[in-house]
Amino acid sequence: GGVDITHTKAFLTSLSAMVAETTTFPIDLIKTRLQLHGESLSSSHPTSAFRVGLGIIREQGALGLYSGLSPAIIRHMFYSPIRIVGYENLRNVVSVDNASFSIVGKAVVGGISGVLAQVIASPADLVKVRMQADGQRVSQGLQPRYSGPFDALNKIVRAEGFQGLWKGVFPNIQRAFLVNMGELACYDHAKQFVIRSRIADDNVFAHTFASIMSGLAATSLSCPADVVKTRMMNQAAKKEGKVLYNSSYDCLVKTIKVEGIRALWKGFFPTWARLGPWQFVFWVSYEKFRKFAGLSSF
């Protein structure tokens, strides 16, 4: 029945997300450390991703590259099934025939399922960020604040109340809308295009090409939101009485005015280095798992 298929899809999505998350987690950890690099180290000499990675391995061994993996995987057990299965079900509700469904329609459906998933998975996201920052504390010789993901959940609820779990949900919703709009609509559309143009059949080649395109689209759309989010969060930390930006929109306008439109894509490559491989591993595994389970292709 329909419910069984939805359950199978949800399970396969979680599985593929775990494979993708585990494969690319070290990239994410290195990215987080690079972003915090300027804040914590007294030496301000430039550093590379390669150096940061080697440093982590030297300090904590190869497993150090995976510190904070458990909350990341728990987050994806909620986030990915909701957005992927949600997208597919919404798409089937809105349009009978996928081939004729416009890219704008797909974009809206993708964005909506991303927002739903982000709202539900937000607490797991918060725990992930706090635990990644905890790894930074340990490397500075401080006591970690939390012993594990459930301890973190418990302490956050105690200290900041139940709604404290949804801190920062609004900037995250904006980003989730843009990322999923780019990723889901583009993957879906690019795959249809490849198959229709007879460039490739519905096989690994089509899935690989579509996943690379979706990684680029998701990065291009979410980069400006990321830049704005980072600047707004950074500003909250400074608090010098007079704030630079009144709102996200004000930040966007001022950034373009002062630095030009290209400033919105600062950090495009690190973001793509994280999203690209993730999309690739996720979509190729997901399509393979569906085939094994006897389901139609996405």
Side-chain angles (χ1 to χ4, degrees), residues 183-246:
E183 179 194 339
L184 295 166
C186 188
Y187 178 80
D188 196 356
H189 219 70
K191 196 178 87 175
Q192 295 290 328
F193 171 76
V194 169
I195 296 165
R196 267 212 306 278
S197 322
R198 305 251 162 78
I199 299 171
D201 292 327
D202 197 343
N203 58 17
V204 169
F205 292 111
H207 305 157
T208 301
F209 175 77
S211 71
I212 291 169
M213 295 308 292
S214 89
L216 281 170
T219 310
S220 310
L221 280 166
S222 70
C223 221
D226 254 353
V227 170
V228 169
K229 187 182 91 175
T230 308
R231 291 187 173 202
M232 292 294 290
M233 282 180 166
N234 197 22
Q235 162 177 286
K238 283 182 187 152
K239 287 223 178 85
E240 286 149 3
K242 193 173 183 290
V243 287
L244 199 50
Y245 315 113
N246 304 322

Side-chain angles (χ1 to χ4, degrees), residues 168-186:
V169 71
F170 286 110
N172 268 336
I173 283 180
Q174 292 166 353
R175 190 175 167 280
F177 186 88
L178 293 165
V179 167
N180 286 287
M181 177 170 125
E183 179 194 339
L184 295 166
C186 188

Side-chain angles (χ1 to χ4, degrees), residues 76-97:
H76 270 288
M77 285 167 69
F78 293 101
Y79 181 63
S80 283
I82 296 165
R83 74 197 177 98
I84 305 284
V85 180
Y87 173 80
E88 208 178 345
N89 289 347
L90 273 172
R91 180 183 74 186
N92 296 344
V93 167
V94 179
S95 158
V96 187
D97 169 34

Side-chain angles (χ1 to χ4, degrees), residues 219-277:
T219 310
S220 310
L221 280 166
S222 70
C223 221
D226 254 353
V227 170
V228 169
K229 187 182 91 175
T230 308
R231 291 187 173 202
M232 292 294 290
M233 282 180 166
N234 197 22
Q235 162 177 286
K238 283 182 187 152
K239 287 223 178 85
E240 286 149 3
K242 193 173 183 290
V243 287
L244 199 50
Y245 315 113
N246 304 322
S247 65
S248 305
Y249 178 70
D250 184 43
C251 174
L252 186 75
V253 173
K254 280 183 180 151
T255 302
I256 296 173
K257 234 182 229 160
V258 177
E259 300 166 65
I261 193 111
R262 283 175 59 189
L264 295 178
W265 282 273
K266 277 190 176 160
F268 180 88
F269 285 105
T271 311
W272 185 55
R274 158 97 180 96
L275 270 175

Side-chain angles (χ1 to χ4, degrees), residues 32 36 128-138 145:
T32 306
L36 296 170
K128 182 186 107 169
V129 170
R130 296 270 178 107
M131 281 182 70
Q132 273 185 337
D134 242 11
Q136 190 88 348
R137 287 169 65 98
V138 173
R145 291 173 294 185

